[in-house]
Amino acid sequence: QLALEYRMTFSQDVVVDITCFRKLGHNEQDTPSLTQPLMYKKIAAHPGTRKLYAERLSAQGLGESIGDDMVKTFRAALDAGKNTSEPVLTNFKTKFTVDWSPFLGKKWTDAADTALPMGEWKRLAERITTLPPGVTPHSLVKKVLDDRAAMGRGDLPVDWGMGEHMAFASLVASGFPVRLSGEDSGRGTFTHRHAVIHDQNREKWDTGTYIPLQNAADNQAPFTVIDSILSEEAVLGFEYGYASNDPNTLVIWEAQFGDFANGAQVVIDQFIASGEVKWGRVNGITLMLPHGYEGQGPEHSSARVERFMQLAADTNMQIVQPTTASQIFHVLRRQMVRNLRKPL
């Protein structure tokens, strides 16, 4: 508090330098004197900061009983805190603070209606497969869009890319922003997504692109797709932080290959798998990972789903392996529609 008041009053930096020692062990079973006998003989004889401070004030002529008064004040505040049912802090949230209360105390078994009415399906499918005049897609991409249009009408079975696209389209149309990042995520691994359509007649590399999912509905929520750099730990750490501060956005990080997930493993281990247990921070980040196809080396093609299984405990995250287009559609929608935020 003193440091903050100093900074606000004088507009100067201030450093709080705390020198301290551990009086007890790391936990109830730890006895530091096993390895540090001399140090802990001194610590055991140390009178404690409160007593030293009281003695110093007394030596300055500020009263003999000031130490006792400090103890009484401390005890009274402690007892008051224990006996009150009201929170000590009230109205302390700023406009930048996210209200997570709608997502707390939820169960895995809570129902979530992830279905989409057929009329809405067809309307969204038409919007995301129709290009504006003047945009000329590659002939292979035109075939993808034509097939998706047929899937939207029910003339072809829905494939994986269409199932994913329709999940995204239905979410942004319902007011849930979607944010997707990763290596080549605009195109997908390597041609299944095509969320960004590149005009084949464009003159400059940075113009002439069209993103159908940004035009799925009037007044829709944002759809963002980012071809991120190959600094996976940094990118996934950023996306984890983004999801921590925006529970109503579907935040997805995609590891195109297994070695990309390897580069971000410390974020997965220490934050995504552990954040709720360690800090009480729930998070709904979604990771799209490659699993188990062989032929490109021991670490390149698989994100090692077995490591995620080993990290799973006490319902800390969802590990799913969809096998049909309908499953990827429903599991992505469930991440937002259900009022439960767990890493997926």
Side-chain angles (χ1 to χ4, degrees), residues 110-123:
D110 289 347
D113 185 4
T114 57
L116 192 66
M118 183 57 70
E120 180 71 356
W121 171 280
K122 290 184 176 181
R123 188 191 69 79

Side-chain angles (χ1 to χ4, degrees), residues 2 22 307:
L2 184 64
R22 170 178 273 161
R307 293 193 304 198

Side-chain angles (χ1 to χ4, degrees), residues 110-237:
D110 289 347
D113 185 4
T114 57
L116 192 66
M118 183 57 70
E120 180 71 356
W121 171 280
K122 290 184 176 181
R123 188 191 69 79
L124 290 172
E126 184 178 4
R127 286 287 292 260
I128 66 172
T129 57
T130 301
L131 300 182
V135 176
T136 304
H138 191 281
S139 58
L140 294 177
V141 178
K142 184 177 186 306
K143 174 69 163 56
V144 171
L145 292 174
D146 290 345
D147 286 349
R148 286 179 181 171
M151 295 172 198
R153 297 190 300 269
D155 297 336
L156 281 177
V158 176
D159 67 11
W160 186 276
M162 184 58 168
E164 181 193 274
H165 257 66
M166 290 301 294
F168 294 157
S170 60
L171 286 173
V172 296
S174 301
F176 292 108
V178 174
R179 175 185 174 86
L180 169 64
S181 70
E183 174 76 358
D184 274 342
S185 287
R187 180 180 58 173
T189 313
F190 277 88
T191 55
H192 90 276
R193 181 170 295 126
H194 288 300
V196 181
I197 308 301
H198 294 260
D199 184 2
Q200 296 299 297
N201 296 327
R202 68 187 183 189
E203 296 296 327
K204 296 181 180 179
W205 73 270
D206 58 347
T207 59
T209 59
Y210 178 74
I211 302 178
L213 285 166
Q214 292 180 348
N215 300 274
D218 298 333
N219 302 314
Q220 68 170 67
F223 173 81
T224 305
V225 58
I226 302 165
D227 292 337
S228 56
I229 58 173
L230 279 175
S231 295
E232 293 87 357
E233 182 179 359
V235 176
L236 183 54

Side-chain angles (χ1 to χ4, degrees), residues 182-183 230 232-233 253-265 299-300:
E183 174 76 358
L230 279 175
E232 293 87 357
E233 182 179 359
W253 179 73
E254 181 174 58
Q256 192 181 68
F257 287 105
D259 42 347
F260 299 178
N262 291 347
Q265 194 67 39
E299 46 71 59
H300 189 56

Side-chain angles (χ1 to χ4, degrees), residues 19 43-44 50 79 82 96 117 129 152 182 202-203 216 220 225 228 239 242 309 315 332 337:
T19 303
I43 290 175
R50 181 186 55 78
D79 291 340
K82 287 180 178 179
F96 303 109
T129 57
R202 68 187 183 189
E203 296 296 327
Q220 68 170 67
V225 58
S228 56
E239 300 300 343
Y242 197 107
M309 299 298 290
T315 63
L332 289 175
V337 173

